[in-house]
Amino acid sequence: MSGTLARAAAEYLQCSFRGVPFAVIGSGGSNGRKQAEHSYPGRDSVWIEDLGMKGRRYRILGFVVGDLAYVQRDALIVAVEAAGNGILFHPSIGTIQAACTRFDWRERDGRLNVVDLEFEFVEQKNLLSSLIVTALHAAVATARIALSVASSSSYAAKTSSAFSAGSSVVAAARTVASGWASGVGEAISSSEAMQAAAAVLPGNNGRYASGAGAETDATATEESVLEDLSASRAAVDEAEDAIASLVTAAEISAAVQALTESLREAIADPGAQISLLWGLAACSVTVIESTAPIGAALAVAQTETAALCRRAALASIAQACSDWLPASSEEAQAMCERVVALFEAEELIAGDAQDDATWSALKALRVQVSQDLMKRAAKLPDIVTIQRNAPLPALTLAQQLYADGTRSDDLVSRADPVHPAFMPTEFEALSS
C-alpha cells in the first residue's frame, strides 16, 4: 500500500517550507482588510473604521509518504519551530516569505509511513511579485532599446534621399534638432532639476525630499550635489552645441537620443525625470508644402527630425516610469493613463506615415510600461477621505492612522493645512 501511496504522491502538487518538501492535497487562504465596527446609541447603523489590510493567510493540507515520511515530518517540525520567517513555495502562488502560525500532523490509523499535514501561514513578503516587477523593468528597458533602434533606422531610411538634395536640407534638420535640444538645456537648468538634485541629500529636507523614487546617498553633500548638477549641465550644453556641426542622419539620431538619456541620468528623482522629459515629447514643426524637389526634401527632413526627437523623449520617459515609485494606486493609474495617451498619439503619427517598425516598437513599449505601472498600482494603498470631529495635530493623526508619527509630513503635504497642529477636519490620505 505504501508503494501505491508513494506513486500517488508524485502526482500531487508539490510544496515546501524552508526547503522541506511535501505533497499538497488542497490549499486556501483569506484576504481582506482590518475593520473595527462601532455602534452608537440611538443610531440604526454602524460605522466601520478601516484599519488597513489584513495579513494574507494561507492554509495548506498535505502529506508525506514513503520510507522517509517520518524524517520529513521531523524536518518540518524543526522548520516550523525555527525563529523568524521562512521561504514558502506555494504550488499556485509561488515563492512567499511567510511565518508558520499553525502546524498539525497526524499519522493515519493502521497505515505506516504516511503522515497527514496541516499548515497555516501568514505572508510577510511576496517574493514572486518582486521577481515579476524586476522582470517588467527589464522588459521596459528592452522595449526602450528596440524603440531607439527602430527610430534611428526609420530616420536614416526616410531622410537619406532628402539629405542628398543638399546642405540646406541637412541644415534644416539640424535647426529642428537644435531648437528641441535647447529645451533639454532649459530643463536641466530649471528650478525643478535643482530641487530634484537635493532629493538625494541625507536627512529630513522637507519638501525637497519628496521625490518619488529618489534614493538617498549617505555620502552626498550640498557641494557634491551642486558639482554633479553643474557637470551635467555642462555636458548637456556641450552636446547641444555639437549638434550644429553634425552632417549625417546617424550622427543626428545618436546625438538626439543621447541628450534625453543625459537629462534623465542627471536627475535623481524619477518623478522629476518624467516631468522634465514630458515637454520634450511635444516637438513639432511647421513645414511649407511644396512640389519642388528641394521644398519636399526640406519638409521631410524637418518632419522626420521632429518625430525622432519626440520618440527619443518617449523612450526616456518609459525608462523613468519603470523607476518611478508612486505613493498611491490612484497616482499610478493616473500616470498610466497619461503615458498611454502620449504613446498612442505618437503611434497614430507613425501609422499614418506607414512606419511599421516604429509603430510596432512604440506599441510594444506602451504595453510594457502600462503593465509595469498597473502591476504596481494593484499593490499600492488607495486614497481615502479622513474625517474628524475637530482639528488635530498631524503627528496625532499619523499615529492614529498608521501607528507611525513619521508619516505626518505626508499628511501635511496632502491636506495643506494652515498649520500642522491644526489639520482640517476632512482631508484625503493614503489608506495604509
Side-chain angles (χ1 to χ4, degrees):
M1 182 65 181
S2 61
T4 303
L5 282 173
R7 288 190 298 271
E11 299 177 1
Y12 282 89
L13 294 174
Q14 300 297 304
C15 186
S16 68
F17 182 61
R18 297 189 191 271
V20 184
F22 55 93
V24 175
I25 300 174
S27 64
S30 61
N31 307 83
R33 301 189 67 79
K34 299 188 291 266
Q35 296 172 332
E37 182 178 309
H38 301 277
S39 299
Y40 300 95
R43 289 184 59 178
D44 295 334
S45 61
V46 298
W47 173 51
I48 304 299
E49 182 180 8
D50 187 271
L51 301 178
M53 191 180 73
K54 278 185 178 180
R56 295 176 177 174
R57 295 185 176 274
Y58 303 96
R59 293 177 295 277
I60 300 177
L61 300 177
F63 66 93
V64 289
V65 65
D67 296 336
L68 298 177
Y70 303 123
V71 174
Q72 288 179 276
R73 176 202 60 190
D74 294 341
L76 284 168
I77 290 173
V78 172
V80 300
E81 289 180 344
N85 306 320
I87 300 299
L88 169 68
F89 184 79
H90 193 282
S92 62
I93 295 175
T95 307
I96 301 168
Q97 190 176 80
C100 182
T101 58
R102 187 171 66 87
F103 172 59
D104 298 327
W105 60 270
R106 185 180 67 85
E107 298 180 16
R108 293 189 183 179
D109 298 340
R111 302 295 183 196
L112 292 175
N113 299 331
V114 183
V115 181
D116 292 317
L117 311 170
E118 186 171 350
F119 300 86
E120 186 167 331
F121 297 94
V122 177
E123 179 183 319
Q124 300 298 304
K125 184 177 181 181
N126 191 327
L127 301 180
L128 181 62
S129 297
S130 301
L131 294 175
I132 290 174
V133 170
T134 302
L136 286 171
H137 287 185
V140 169
T142 302
R144 178 185 66 82
I145 294 172
L147 174 58
S148 299
V149 172
S151 297
S152 298
S153 300
S154 174
Y155 183 69
K158 292 199 171 189
T159 59
S160 59
S161 59
F163 279 12
S164 63
S167 59
S168 60
V169 177
V170 179
R174 286 200 301 262
T175 300
V176 174
S178 296
W180 173 83
S182 65
V184 180
E186 293 173 1
I188 201 169
S189 300
S190 65
S191 58
E192 187 173 0
M194 177 76 75
Q195 179 174 331
V200 302
L201 291 173
N204 184 6
N205 298 300
R207 66 182 185 275
Y208 296 107
S210 59
E215 295 184 2
T216 301
D217 184 357
T219 62
T221 62
E222 293 180 13
E223 292 76 11
S224 65
V225 166
L226 291 175
E227 288 176 1
D228 292 342
L229 186 58
S230 297
S232 299
R233 287 174 178 171
V236 167
D237 291 340
E238 184 179 350
E240 182 183 343
D241 295 338
I243 291 179
S245 61
L246 303 179
V247 295
T248 66
E251 290 175 343
I252 294 174
S253 177
V256 165
Q257 292 178 353
L259 265 175
T260 57
E261 281 301 284
S262 296
L263 174 60
R264 186 183 68 81
E265 293 172 357
I267 306 300
D269 178 10
Q273 293 174 11
I274 297 171
S275 177
L276 294 174
L277 287 165
W278 201 270
L280 300 175
C283 180
S284 62
V285 293
T286 302
V287 299
I288 301 175
E289 298 294 338
S290 174
T291 57
I294 187 65
L298 286 170
V300 169
Q302 292 173 324
T303 301
E304 294 302 323
T305 303
L308 174 70
C309 295
R310 291 195 304 271
R311 290 159 192 173
L314 286 174
S316 294
I317 288 173
Q319 190 63 49
C321 284
S322 70
D323 298 327
W324 181 58
L325 298 177
S328 68
S329 176
E330 284 80 359
E331 288 182 17
Q333 292 176 10
M335 178 62 74
C336 183
E337 292 174 1
R338 291 180 62 206
V339 171
V340 166
L342 192 65
F343 270 81
E344 286 180 340
E346 191 62 31
E347 288 174 38
L348 184 61
I349 295 173
D352 290 342
Q354 298 181 351
D355 189 350
D356 294 340
T358 303
W359 177 84
S360 298
L362 283 166
K363 181 181 178 182
L365 183 54
R366 170 175 59 83
V367 170
Q368 294 298 340
V369 172
S370 61
Q371 285 182 348
D372 183 23
L373 288 172
M374 294 310 295
K375 180 69 179 179
R376 280 181 281 166
K379 296 185 174 295
L380 289 170
D382 296 323
I383 298 292
V384 296
T385 300
I386 304 299
Q387 293 180 326
R388 289 294 185 266
N389 294 330
L392 294 174
L395 284 170
T396 302
L397 288 169
Q399 190 64 35
Q400 288 180 354
L401 296 173
Y402 310 120
D404 183 0
T406 61
R407 296 185 61 176
S408 60
D409 288 342
D410 179 68
L411 294 178
V412 171
S413 65
R414 294 181 182 279
D416 192 22
V418 175
H419 190 278
F422 302 96
M423 292 286 284
T425 56
E426 182 174 330
F427 59 93
E428 292 186 340
L430 297 177
S431 61
S432 62

